[in-house]
């Protein structure tokens, strides 16, 4: 069965960076992409960006351009999302989800369990 | 402020039919497919409807989606207590070159 398992909760200080992992199984990793969506406490869903696991192409939301890097490791079927220069408004649950391989799309059919990132001094 | 507009809350009694609306523009709903996600309390979102009105395997046929112009709707027939959740609409936005979400609708089954 398709599974996306994310790394554990993180606590970071303002200005630091965080790197969240998303280990996948149950499907051919390079036949899909991975999208990242975050949800601040009590708020809605916010799309951050997408990476193709086939060729590494990325599409980042303008809001996060220059501050986020998404990568994949095809040898371990794992995707990573690094967010830099953290501020208190980056406190959120970060989700990875399986996405189309060629374009970012809106079709996210399997999701990870989420990773809580808390930014606090 | 979300690009897609949803009512913050909706409610119904068990067995009733409930609907949730989603309003957008020509750059998103008007020219692209609409998706719906269900988020049960404390869990990750789940794909409920794709390509306007298609249900993934395992989603009951009590859930249906429709789209007209720049608006879309999610209908739930025969409401059950387990349908209490947050529901989000989403669509690709050609102007932003990325997907956009509605602000979410909290459904309460009284």
């Amino acid at each position: 069965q398709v599974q996306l398992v994310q790394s554990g909760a993180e606590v970071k200080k303002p200005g630091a960076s965080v790197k969240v992992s998303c280990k996948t199984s149950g499907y051919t990793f390079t036949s899909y992409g991975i999208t990242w969506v975050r949800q601040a406490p009590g708020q809605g869903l916010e799309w951050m960006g997408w990476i193709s696991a086939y060729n590494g192409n990325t599409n980042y939301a303008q809001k996060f351009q220059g501050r986020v890097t998404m990568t994949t490791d095809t040898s371990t079927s794992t995707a990573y999302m690094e967010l830099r220069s953290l501020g208190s408004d980056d406190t959120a649950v970060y989700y990875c989800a399986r996405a189309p391989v060629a374009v970012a799309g809106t079709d996210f059919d399997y999701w990870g369990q989420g990773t809580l990132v808390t930014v606090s001094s | 402020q979300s690009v897609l507009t949803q009512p913050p809350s909706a409610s119904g009694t068990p067995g009733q039919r409930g609907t949730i609306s989603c309003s957008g523009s020509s750059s998103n709903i008007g020219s692209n497919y609409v998706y719906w996600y269900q988020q049960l309390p404390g869990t990750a979102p789940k794909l409920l409807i794709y390509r306007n009105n298609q249900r993934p395997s395992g989603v009951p046929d009590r859930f249906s989606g429709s789209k007209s112009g720049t608006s879309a709707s999610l209908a739930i027939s025969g409401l059950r207590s387990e349908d209490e959740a947050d529901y989000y609409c989403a669509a690709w936005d050609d102007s932003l070159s990325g997907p956009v979400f509605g602000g979410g609708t909290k459904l309460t089954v009284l």
Side-chain angles (χ1 to χ4, degrees):
Chain A
Q1 70 283 24
V2 175
Q3 286 190 308
L4 289 78
V5 179
Q6 299 183 224
S7 48
E10 303 260 15
V11 179
K12 296 293 182 180
K13 293 194 182 303
S17 300
V18 68
K19 192 169 186 177
V20 179
S21 68
C22 173
K23 184 168 178 57
T24 73
S25 60
Y27 71 96
T28 301
F29 184 64
T30 51
S31 294
Y32 291 85
I34 294 289
T35 207
W36 291 87
V37 173
R38 77 177 186 179
Q39 185 171 36
Q43 302 301 309
L45 304 175
E46 181 178 31
W47 180 73
M48 299 181 68
W50 159 92
I51 182 168
S52 170
Y54 174 71
N55 56 17
N57 284 351
T58 56
N59 179 2
Y60 300 142
Q62 188 171 8
K63 175 178 180 176
F64 300 101
Q65 290 269 5
R67 205 161 68 92
V68 70
T69 301
M70 297 177 186
T71 57
T72 60
D73 181 344
T74 57
S75 68
T76 60
S77 300
T78 302
Y80 299 90
M81 185 282 299
E82 181 180 34
L83 188 62
R84 300 176 291 278
S85 301
L86 292 170
S88 58
D89 55 351
D90 291 315
T91 294
V93 175
Y94 290 75
Y95 294 102
C96 63
R98 194 174 75 165
V101 67
V103 292
T106 319
D107 197 347
F108 313 141
D109 57 355
Y110 290 92
W111 293 64
Q113 83 278 18
T115 297
L116 175 62
V117 175
T118 302
V119 183
S120 174
S121 54
Chain B
Q1 192 82 3
S2 302
V3 175
L4 305 181
T5 302
Q6 297 180 237
S9 63
S11 63
T13 56
Q16 267 190 334
R17 174 184 170 90
T19 60
I20 296 172
S21 62
C22 176
S23 177
S25 67
S26 58
S27 65
N28 42 67
I29 293 179
S31 52
N32 295 290
Y33 290 122
V34 177
Y35 296 74
W36 290 91
Y37 293 88
Q38 177 193 57
Q39 186 175 33
L40 296 170
T43 70
K46 167 191 168 184
L47 180 63
L48 196 65
I49 297 288
Y50 67 99
R51 294 193 177 188
N52 299 337
N53 55 19
Q54 302 299 302
R55 285 185 308 277
S57 171
V59 174
D61 59 6
R62 300 187 297 107
F63 294 91
S64 62
S66 64
K67 172 185 144 175
S68 178
T70 59
S71 294
S73 291
L74 173 71
I76 310 170
S77 62
L79 281 171
R80 299 181 178 182
S81 58
E82 58 259 39
D83 297 332
E84 283 203 341
D86 293 324
Y87 293 84
Y88 294 90
C89 59
W92 184 264
D93 191 291
D94 294 331
S95 298
L96 298 174
S97 296
V100 290
F101 288 95
T105 298
K106 183 176 185 63
L107 176 67
T108 301
V109 180
L110 303 168

